[in-house]
Amino acid sequence: MFKEVKRACEVLREGGVILYPTDTIWGLGCDATNLEAVKKVYDIKQRADSKAMLVLVDSPVKVDFYVEDVPDIAWDLIELADKPLTIIYDKARNIAPGLVGPDGSLGIRVTNEEFSRQLCFRFRKAIVSTSANRSGEISPGNFSEIEEYIKSQVDYIVNYRQEETTQPKPSGIIKLGKGGEIKIIRE
């Protein structure tokens, strides 16, 4: 696994796009601070850049770097989550503008899955995580379901967990608003 993490980091540092396993489904990923790399992901997905994408980090501590003011409730939600949880925060910062929603928000998930956690840790920046499919198509549940078109468009395909056939569930999504307001987007 370490060799795959190292190679994926090299590609990310060069502004490339990777296809990699996450704590939910296989994802397209790039350096979340590199606008050109983010544009490549939008192009591969054939997706309007007005539809924001989330990012992965390896530790709750890193959320503070990408969000101006993290509501206190966020720390409890992260700590108590028993499945992958994406939290949408207001006032994103230090991130490629193409990832920020029209309202200035950003979706961040702290990953606990071994590969993606190591990748985020070694890369030392947030990594884009979006489903490995064209916009409007069904998200592939595992590597074998990823369309050849997607595979042909990325700069590197991680050779780890490709043989798994389980159908993981997408993450829960919660939007945190002003004053600690919580809106459940997806359970």
Side-chain angles (χ1 to χ4, degrees):
M1 178 183 79
F2 179 72
K3 216 166 96 175
E4 289 299 310
V5 168
K6 184 178 177 188
R7 179 65 187 123
C9 283
E10 290 168 0
V11 172
L12 293 171
R13 284 190 189 95
E14 294 164 2
V17 175
I18 63 170
L19 181 58
Y20 70 115
T22 74
D23 53 344
T24 57
I25 59 178
W26 274 75
L28 293 171
C30 70
D31 176 349
T33 66
N34 181 329
L35 181 58
E36 291 306 311
V38 169
K39 286 179 181 177
K40 288 180 196 176
V41 174
Y42 278 111
D43 288 346
I44 292 169
K45 288 188 67 75
Q46 300 171 0
R47 180 177 181 168
D49 61 8
S50 59
K51 288 187 75 177
M53 296 184 288
L54 70 94
V55 300
L56 291 183
V57 294
D58 63 298
S59 165
V61 173
K62 295 196 177 155
V63 174
D64 259 332
F65 184 73
Y66 297 106
V67 178
E68 194 174 301
D69 185 28
V70 180
D72 289 339
I73 190 72
W75 307 118
D76 293 331
L77 291 169
I78 292 168
E79 184 181 336
L80 298 173
D82 59 355
K83 68 175 191 173
L85 176 65
T86 300
I87 300 177
I88 301 172
Y89 301 90
D90 289 334
K91 298 183 181 175
R93 63 179 179 180
N94 301 319
I95 205 84
L99 294 173
V100 179
D103 61 354
S105 65
L106 174 67
I108 301 176
R109 187 165 70 241
V110 178
T111 180
N112 290 315
E113 183 271 334
E114 183 181 20
F115 182 85
S116 55
R117 187 171 34 86
Q118 277 298 313
L119 182 64
C120 290
F121 175 75
R122 302 243 177 243
F123 187 58
R124 298 190 189 108
K125 296 186 206 175
I127 298 173
V128 167
S129 182
T130 185
S131 57
N133 62 302
R134 294 187 228 203
S135 187
E137 300 290 323
I138 295 171
S139 299
N142 54 54
F143 182 79
S144 67
E145 295 176 3
I146 299 171
E147 173 185 15
E148 286 304 316
Y149 162 79
I150 296 291
K151 293 176 185 176
S152 73
Q153 297 299 303
V154 299
D155 299 296
Y156 185 66
I157 299 173
V158 170
N159 188 17
Y160 184 72
R161 291 183 40 209
Q162 290 184 7
E163 67 292 335
E164 290 180 7
T165 57
T166 56
Q167 296 287 319
K169 303 240 185 295
S171 72
I173 302 175
I174 292 176
K175 181 164 179 35
L176 296 182
K178 294 177 177 80
E181 176 188 315
I182 298 174
K183 181 178 180 185
I184 297 172
I185 309 290
R186 180 173 65 205
E187 285 190 44

